[in-house]
Amino acid sequence: MSETLANLLNETREFPPPDGLAADANVKADAYREADADRLGFWAEQARRLDWARDWDQVLDWSNPPFAKWFVGGQLNVAYNCVDRHVAAGLGDRVAIHWEGEPGDSRTITYADLLKLTSQAANALTDLGVVAGDRVAIYLPMIPEAAVAMLACARIGATHSVVFGGFSADALSSRIADASAKVVITADGGYRRGKPTDLKSTVDEAVSRTDSVEHVLVVRRTGGEVAWTDKDHWWHETVETAATEHTAQPFDAEHPLFILYTSGTTAKPKGILHTTGGYLTQTSYTTWATFDLKPETDVYWCTADIGWVTGHSYIVYGPLSNGATQVMYEGTPDTPHKGRFWDIVDKYRVSILYTAPTLIRTMMKWGEDIPAKYDLSSLRVLGSVGEPINPEAWMWYRQFVGRGNCPVVDTWWQTETGATMICPLPGVTAAKPGSAMSPLPGISADVVDDQGEPVPNGGGGFLVLREPWPSMLRTIWGDDQRFIDTYWSRFGAGAGGSGDWVYFAGDGAKKDNDGHLWLLGRVDDVMLVSGHNISTTEVESALVSHPSVAEAAVVGATDPTTGQAIVAFTIPRGSVDTSADGGEALIAELRDHVAKTLGPIAKPRQIMLVPELPKTRSGKIMRRLLRDVAENRSLGDVTTLQDSSVMDLISSGMRSGK
Ligand code: 6R9
């Protein structure tokens, strides 16, 4: 981006918190003032939510930036905080996890059950020789054992590295090797789209290519045939026969809790390192604050996969440290039918739902008559994460899922930030469709121009974080220099400038006239059209605001006249019939619609109607691949693509002139 980001979309709708929710909300407006007045004092107060075995001596040590230490000298055990203390408080019978398998099987796991399972897994790992500081790779489907395995590692101070169960042997082996994992925890397989998928053979291949792995623990989920090696142990023969008592030892607040690899757009994945005390403080606080979680009465459901940071922070550590009751679902939203999610909400009386824009847009494509068939009256707070949410998708979520009376909280954060950073508070902040609104109490975010100067209200630029926060990444595993280069060398002291160290998030953003924040996608995706920086997000949102469009992805393609030209890939809604003219009339209408909504500068040069879009496994649109298509190049790295056949569909659609 050369100068600032054009500010094209003008959204004026605004929804205040519902009265009842506001009156009884966990967090009130004072929180912002308190945190502004004493940021470290505010975080110290939030850290008191946890049980510490030893108090900290200092809240933050920032004497060696950008390497932060939070709650210096403090000691605690993460698993104890997520499980044992709830049982000790008499809540052993409370359901921790209502687990729903894709084929329709289910399990109910109370906090007492979770304590037993986690203790057994901790004992089994210890018997296999795992000690504090060792790394354990976890490659599991969405089954309760995934949460148990993570907690068991935390319990004994082993650092887990969860690898998404859909990744290839290549991706798994490079992650095992990067962290020198000693043990891999996996399953024979899992269920996705109605079929058992095999995991074990992928692990065998990955393990054979690395030399650090001593043992592989295998959960039996599908009962499918598996090859067996001398490193393998069945979970049910090892964990489920282990002693059920285990005393959790406290660890230093800065003890490494987990590594999670971000795929990134560049070659080598980055192993994002999170530690113990600050991470648990912020995930615990934000789960309670962002969703107004009432652990006694709410039923919470986050639809993310555990292999994504959202699953770490908002399925495992955040909800469990609060003693919440939650739903965990193994499979896909359309198995065995397109109402599966709503069926689950109805069955468990889910009151807080946290999902991703990609899912909301998919549901829009399928039509609102599907959620209308279910009783969704238990819902009271709706969350969104993963990508900018288009205003029309936000409105659809609010209207057809939230029945018009649930606040929608759009939460901006990253693997690197560990926990939510920018989002409305459901009982305090009015919400605007498509805006993440304001930094949470204790967080300081800003939008700056390419010189690092704050942009005024109404301006756009780069999102930065000005102050360290408790759940921030501590480094990139094994590569401090890359940590500095990637996040801290763009602006401020780390770039040789004056003043403080400033974290560069890599996202474009704008401030509206009220100073509220709108996230505009990765800066790599920003288009430069005739000298104007235009965000892909705004053009996509304009397309999605047309009643015939379900999803859209926009890229800038090299153009001899304008430098870059806007090329849009658009999925029509299910009800739209384009057979008469191959979609030509619709395409013309959409080009005009974008020009009318955002101005002539944003009119796409080309619009392609496509059946699907390429997405990562966590549901983010992979614009990089669409740019390859738009510029007639062969495709780059497709290993993080969720479904590789999608690119064939798109390319063949283009060849047939659609
Ligand atoms: C939690 C997670 C991080 C990137 C981030 C941004 C995008 C996430 C968003 C959002 C706009 C939101 N992103 N939430 N953009 N509004 N509410 O997604 O982590 O997988 O590391 O991705 O996702 O671009 O920089 P991660």
Side-chain angles (χ1 to χ4, degrees):
M1 254 191 307
S2 56
E3 287 168 2
T4 54
L5 203 54
N7 200 347
L8 298 175
L9 199 69
N10 181 27
E11 172 62 61
T12 53
R13 291 168 287 193
E14 185 166 347
F15 299 91
D19 290 343
L21 199 150
D24 194 30
N26 287 348
V27 185
K28 304 281 194 294
D30 316 341
Y32 291 105
R33 280 190 293 277
E34 278 167 28
D36 278 350
D38 178 7
R39 191 172 54 89
L40 297 184
F42 171 82
W43 284 119
E45 192 184 318
Q46 306 322 318
R48 295 271 168 238
R49 308 171 55 77
L50 308 177
D51 276 15
W52 294 78
R54 185 188 184 281
D55 242 356
W56 57 87
D57 307 310
Q58 190 186 3
V59 177
L60 169 67
D61 175 359
W62 190 232
S63 60
N64 180 30
F67 301 95
K69 291 191 180 131
W70 281 85
F71 307 111
V72 183
Q75 293 187 348
L76 73 168
N77 186 286
V78 166
Y80 176 86
N81 273 281
C82 290
V83 186
D84 305 43
R85 63 168 176 154
H86 306 312
V87 178
L91 303 175
D93 291 340
R94 182 183 287 173
V95 174
I97 300 174
H98 288 294
W99 178 77
E100 178 90 2
E102 197 190 74
D105 49 338
S106 62
R107 283 164 69 183
T108 307
I109 297 174
T110 63
Y111 275 93
D113 298 334
L114 197 56
L115 177 57
K116 176 173 166 240
L117 291 166
T118 310
S119 299
Q120 288 184 305
N123 284 325
L125 287 173
T126 305
D127 289 347
L128 292 177
V130 179
V131 296
D134 284 345
R135 273 82 55 206
V136 172
I138 298 176
Y139 183 73
L140 282 170
M142 283 289 287
I143 54 178
E145 285 78 4
V148 170
M150 290 162 75
L151 290 166
C153 288
R155 199 172 179 88
I156 61 172
T159 302
H160 59 69
S161 162
V162 180
V163 180
F164 177 75
F167 276 149
S168 63
D170 260 355
L172 178 59
S173 69
S174 66
R175 284 157 175 77
I176 289 174
D178 188 67
S180 309
K182 193 169 180 180
V183 166
V184 181
I185 305 178
T186 188
D188 50 359
Y191 290 94
R192 272 195 93 71
R193 295 183 205 291
K195 288 194 299 270
T197 57
D198 169 44
L199 290 178
K200 175 66 167 54
S201 62
T202 311
V203 172
D204 291 345
E205 197 183 328
V207 168
S208 73
R209 289 195 224 156
T210 53
D211 47 24
S212 59
V213 177
E214 293 170 15
H215 301 284
V216 178
L217 258 178
V218 189
V219 178
R220 190 157 63 191
R221 165 66 183 132
T222 60
E225 284 279 311
V226 290
W228 210 244
T229 77
D230 54 8
K231 293 181 176 173
D232 297 340
H233 310 264
W234 280 116
W235 176 280
H236 58 270
E237 289 173 0
T238 320
V239 176
E240 287 171 16
T241 56
T244 55
E245 303 282 313
H246 180 273
T247 309
Q249 302 296 316
F251 292 100
D252 190 88
E254 284 298 337
H255 187 78
L257 178 63
F258 68 84
I259 303 167
L260 183 59
Y261 289 84
T262 59
S263 49
T265 41
T266 49
K268 192 171 177 265
K270 300 190 280 281
I272 304 299
L273 178 70
H274 283 286
T275 60
T276 296
Y279 173 80
L280 197 64
T281 295
Q282 195 174 331
T283 50
S284 187
Y285 170 70
T286 52
T287 306
W288 176 82
T290 311
F291 303 112
D292 191 45
L293 176 76
K294 309 273 196 280
E296 310 75 39
T297 46
D298 275 316
V299 178
Y300 166 96
W301 180 25
C302 168
T303 68
D305 192 280
I306 232 153
W308 186 25
V309 71
T310 307
H312 284 56
S313 301
Y314 297 105
I315 294 177
V316 181
Y317 296 114
L320 296 177
S321 63
N322 278 286
T325 294
Q326 69 176 317
V327 171
M328 181 175 175
Y329 171 54
E330 178 182 35
T332 44
D334 51 353
T335 309
H337 56 79
K338 290 180 172 146
R340 184 69 190 267
F341 267 31
W342 314 125
D343 198 15
I344 292 174
V345 169
D346 193 346
K347 174 172 173 187
Y348 294 102
R349 310 306 297 150
V350 171
S351 55
I352 301 171
L353 178 68
Y354 192 27
T355 191
T358 176
L359 266 158
I360 299 164
R361 293 187 303 252
T362 302
M363 303 290 182
M364 278 170 78
K365 184 169 66 185
W366 293 341
E368 53 262 23
D369 45 326
I370 297 178
K373 286 191 209 131
Y374 298 86
D375 178 2
L376 306 182
S377 60
S378 53
L379 289 168
R380 64 180 200 93
V381 177
L382 304 176
S384 171
V385 59
E387 286 183 295
I389 178 164
N390 320 100
E392 273 340 293
W394 193 104
M395 289 299 294
W396 192 93
Y397 194 25
R398 182 183 153 87
Q399 189 176 348
F400 297 110
V401 179
R403 301 295 199 261
N405 58 21
C406 301
V408 175
V409 288
D410 176 18
T411 63
W412 178 89
W413 60 293
Q414 309 176 297
T415 306
E416 292 86 342
T417 70
T420 55
M421 302 290 282
I422 307 176
C423 58
L425 285 172
V428 178
T429 325
K432 299 174 182 175
S435 171
M437 302 302 288
S438 314
L440 281 170
I443 301 299
S444 69
D446 201 353
V447 182
V448 299
D449 63 19
D450 58 350
Q451 300 300 309
E453 293 301 321
V455 303
N457 285 356
F462 304 91
L463 182 75
V464 296
L465 302 169
R466 291 201 180 279
E467 300 284 354
W469 61 101
S471 63
M472 67 195 282
L473 76 165
R474 297 305 194 259
T475 190
I476 293 174
W477 182 256
D479 201 343
D480 287 347
Q481 192 55 48
R482 193 173 177 203
F483 169 62
I484 297 172
D485 294 345
T486 310
Y487 306 107
W488 303 94
S489 300
R490 186 74 178 251
F491 301 113
S498 60
D500 298 328
W501 285 72
V502 174
Y503 174 89
F504 169 57
D507 280 349
K510 68 180 186 186
K511 287 183 198 164
D512 68 16
N513 292 333
D514 303 320
H516 292 131
L517 299 173
W518 296 72
L519 278 305
L520 297 178
R522 302 297 294 167
V523 292
D524 308 338
D525 290 333
V526 167
M527 305 171 288
L528 188 59
V529 184
S530 305
H532 297 268
N533 285 302
I534 296 177
S535 97
T536 51
T537 302
E538 291 194 310
V539 182
E540 287 161 8
S541 288
L543 285 162
V544 174
S545 74
H546 189 281
S548 299
V549 174
E551 277 212 78
V554 163
V555 297
T558 315
D559 185 276
T561 349
T562 54
Q564 276 191 318
I566 301 177
V567 177
F569 297 79
T570 302
I571 309 182
R573 289 215 195 182
S575 52
V576 178
D577 182 7
T578 53
S579 53
D581 63 352
E584 268 180 43
L586 176 61
I587 289 171
E589 195 179 318
L590 292 177
R591 291 183 69 227
D592 288 345
H593 174 75
V594 174
K596 229 184 308 160
T597 316
L598 301 179
I601 183 75
K603 188 172 186 167
R605 179 186 75 186
Q606 219 178 336
I607 294 184
M608 250 87 70
L609 302 182
V610 292
E612 282 300 339
L613 293 172
K615 303 217 175 115
T616 64
R617 320 253 172 178
S618 62
K620 295 188 211 301
I621 297 170
M622 290 181 78
R623 291 181 192 75
R624 180 168 55 79
L625 296 179
L626 294 174
R627 237 171 357 244
D628 292 342
V629 174
E631 296 183 335
N632 291 317
R633 262 194 313 273
S634 57
L635 294 181
D637 182 13
V638 291
T639 47
T640 53
L641 197 62
Q642 184 185 26
D643 175 359
S644 53
S645 62
V646 164
M647 290 316 293
D648 299 337
L649 278 175
I650 293 172
S651 308
S652 65
M654 286 190 61
R655 273 197 300 279
S656 70
K658 272 223 257 166

